[in-house]
Amino acid sequence: MQPATIEKLLDREQARFLATHPRSAAAWEEGKKHFLYGGPSHWMRRWAGGFPVYAASARGAHIHDIDGHDYVDFALGDTGGMCGHAPEAVTRAALHQLQNGTTMMLPTEDSLWVGAELTRRFGLPYWTLTTSATDANRGAIRIARMITGRPKVLVFSGCYHGGVEEAHVEIRDGRIGMRNMIHPNGVDHSAVSRVVEFNDIAALEEALSHGDVACVLTEPLMTNFGMIPVADGFHTALREITRRTGTVLIIDETHTISSGPGGYTALHGLEPDMLVAGKAIAGGIPAGIFGVSREIAERLWKIVPMVNPRVRQSAHLGIGGTLAGNALTIATMRAVLEEVLTPANFERMIANATRLAEAAWDVIRANGLPWHVTQVGARAEIMFMPKPPRNGADVIAGRRGDLETLLHAFYMNEGILVTPFHTMFLMCPATSPVDVDRHTEVFGRFVDLVRCAGVV
């Protein structure tokens, strides 16, 4: 391996990006004068070109920038845009609700349909809406602590669950520390978190044996650290151990909802105590959801009873969000569930993900590369390591962050967007086989680039 050569290739791609994106470059410099990290969100600064593309418009699976370039978008807002950009049903519902009020802190009749549909899809009977999946995870954790009286949250090393403080830990070189270069902020994570490797049943059993863990918070398979498939028997063991130890099981489907209409949970018959989702659930309008089982609800109602209509309820769950469940969010969520994330659209999305994964495998095998591809429903990922990782430690040991960054920069120059934190490709209903084949052609040229440079 020749890291210096990869750096030279990256420098070349960033110079090419700067030369062809002068308006975005100028906008980025202007943004630095007003935003803490250059853009409205700190996520917007992490693109491999050295600065982000400034979007002018987006429709379907394509984004157009202010410099006149068109991109096939496989990032899709890191799942927030999984419905595609400006889907007609969502736009229509949003415009209608905008004309009839967005935030009244009152329910609408659409909420009745949404609640029933969430139960039908995901299987849990009671739901709460939030403004993000982060808030949904925080709410679920708070309820788990309330009903168990326990302080700690167990997460798996390499996980990501939004801005949940308890999940900002990982195991690296056998030691527990802050994950992903997150800076400490005075929280004693030893008091609020436990962390073990994914798929490690023995470590899970030992960690829960202390009786101080309120809940396990996990994706059904890990996505944000590079996709880590779930080992045979792990979910069965996870459910048995959590039940035996009185630990609440929270499954975060924010990314894995790409598995199908009811997410990975419905597809594989999982039985969480709580389920969380967000991002795509309202078509890009900020929203999160969490559902609870009847048993969890009944335990909670003993602590915070249902409202007595004659007495103002002074106690609440400690979960904020005045805008949560607002009429605009509800209207767009109904449109998503009723008209966009349908079985027929999932079938199309998954077929395109399969097309991308199989073509990428063909390129990898034809060139004898030590890389692999993982697919989960409408999502696929190319990883620059020989086989799928079993846990976060495998990712740390084998991940090629330098090649990922180079691929992202090269792709941006070639009109393809991939979420810059990993190399996952997500399909939306508007993604076409032509879009997928465009990726195959560009991926082949990326392989030629790195092979000719002698860096693989």
Side-chain angles (χ1 to χ4, degrees):
M1 295 294 177
Q2 303 174 41
T5 303
I6 292 178
E7 288 300 317
K8 289 179 181 178
L9 291 175
L10 180 58
D11 289 344
R12 189 176 76 183
E13 292 301 323
Q14 289 185 333
R16 180 158 70 115
F17 187 74
L18 176 61
T20 55
H21 295 76
R23 291 188 64 189
S24 284
W28 181 243
E29 292 305 312
E30 181 68 18
K32 289 180 182 178
K33 299 176 184 177
H34 311 292
F35 294 109
L36 186 60
Y37 284 101
S41 162
H42 76 280
W43 296 118
M44 295 178 183
R45 69 185 172 94
R46 296 187 61 184
W47 293 88
F51 55 91
V53 164
Y54 274 71
S57 64
R59 185 167 296 278
H62 287 249
I63 290 177
H64 304 276
D65 73 11
I66 62 174
D67 286 291
H69 304 290
D70 174 80
Y71 303 87
V72 181
D73 185 13
F74 291 108
L76 294 170
D78 195 28
T79 303
M82 191 175 78
C83 293
H85 300 296
E88 182 181 349
V90 173
T91 301
R92 183 175 64 249
L95 288 174
H96 174 78
Q97 194 60 55
L98 283 167
Q99 294 171 336
N100 289 280
T102 59
T103 301
M104 294 84 77
M105 209 167 70
L106 293 169
T108 61
E109 287 187 311
D110 277 345
S111 69
L112 304 176
W113 187 95
V114 166
E117 177 63 9
L118 292 175
T119 293
R120 188 189 71 79
R121 286 192 179 219
F122 299 109
L124 293 169
Y126 300 108
W127 294 86
T128 294
L129 271 61
T130 64
T131 53
S132 69
T134 289
D135 283 342
N137 278 320
R138 287 174 177 154
I141 289 169
R142 182 169 179 80
I143 289 172
R145 284 177 167 146
M146 288 172 66
I147 64 176
T148 64
R150 300 174 180 179
K152 294 187 178 181
V153 176
L154 185 142
V155 295
F156 294 104
S157 186
C159 72
Y160 181 73
H161 298 286
V164 174
E165 190 68 52
E166 292 86 347
H168 288 170
V169 289
E170 70 177 7
I171 302 169
R172 189 176 288 264
D173 299 324
R175 302 175 63 183
I176 296 175
M178 301 295 285
R179 71 174 300 277
N180 196 33
M181 299 179 292
I182 293 175
H183 290 273
N185 65 346
V187 172
D188 179 5
H189 283 86
S190 67
V192 296
S193 305
R194 286 191 183 274
V195 56
V196 300
E197 294 288 3
F198 193 60
N199 287 320
D200 190 336
I201 295 172
L204 176 68
E205 178 92 57
E206 195 283 329
L208 297 186
S209 69
H210 301 274
D212 58 357
V213 174
C215 60
V216 172
L217 174 60
T218 182
E219 294 184 283
L221 60 88
M222 294 183 70
T223 63
N224 265 284
F225 204 45
M227 282 207 278
I228 304 174
V230 64
D232 290 344
F234 182 71
H235 274 301
T236 300
L238 173 62
R239 183 65 281 192
E240 190 279 322
I241 296 169
T242 50
R243 281 182 172 144
R244 173 162 40 86
T245 58
T247 309
V248 175
L249 176 59
I250 306 170
I251 291 185
D252 183 348
E253 288 264 18
T254 299
H255 274 183
T256 54
I257 195 174
S258 63
S259 300
Y264 192 100
T265 293
L267 185 64
H268 294 275
L270 306 185
E271 298 179 353
D273 297 307
M274 302 189 195
L275 184 144
V276 168
K279 292 192 179 183
I281 200 71
I285 299 295
I289 59 172
F290 69 90
V292 305
S293 69
R294 175 171 290 278
E295 178 188 358
I296 297 296
E298 289 176 349
R299 292 172 68 181
L300 181 61
W301 291 334
K302 290 179 180 179
I303 302 170
V304 182
M306 296 285 279
V307 176
N308 182 333
R310 298 191 178 195
V311 179
R312 180 182 180 275
Q313 187 182 24
S314 59
H316 63 78
L317 303 182
I319 300 169
T322 306
L323 301 182
N326 68 74
L328 177 62
T329 298
I330 287 287
T332 57
M333 194 178 296
R334 175 168 184 168
V336 166
L337 297 173
E338 194 169 23
E339 301 184 60
V340 183
L341 294 184
T342 62
N345 276 340
F346 267 108
E347 184 177 352
R348 185 180 305 112
M349 293 155 64
I350 292 169
N352 278 319
T354 301
R355 184 184 184 97
L356 186 147
E358 290 178 347
W361 265 121
D362 288 345
V363 173
I364 290 168
R365 288 169 177 146
N367 288 275
L369 296 168
W371 303 347
H372 75 272
V373 184
T374 299
Q375 181 188 351
V376 178
R379 187 186 304 276
E381 180 172 31
I382 298 168
M383 288 192 75
F384 302 124
M385 47 196 302
K387 58 184 180 180
R390 298 163 300 173
N391 51 39
D394 283 355
V395 176
I396 291 169
R399 191 172 196 173
R400 291 296 309 277
D402 52 355
L403 275 178
E404 289 181 14
T405 302
L406 177 60
L407 179 139
H408 292 152
F410 181 82
Y411 273 25
M412 290 171 75
N413 282 322
E414 298 298 326
I416 289 179
L417 295 180
V418 183
T419 302
F421 332 126
H422 32 61
T423 310
M424 290 195 296
F425 303 83
L426 182 61
M427 310 298 135
C428 70
T431 304
S432 71
V434 173
D435 296 328
V436 172
D437 294 345
R438 170 67 176 157
H439 169 263
T440 301
E441 186 265 330
V442 171
F443 180 54
R445 288 197 286 111
F446 173 76
V447 169
D448 291 341
L449 173 72
V450 295
R451 282 182 63 85
C452 288
V455 298
V456 294

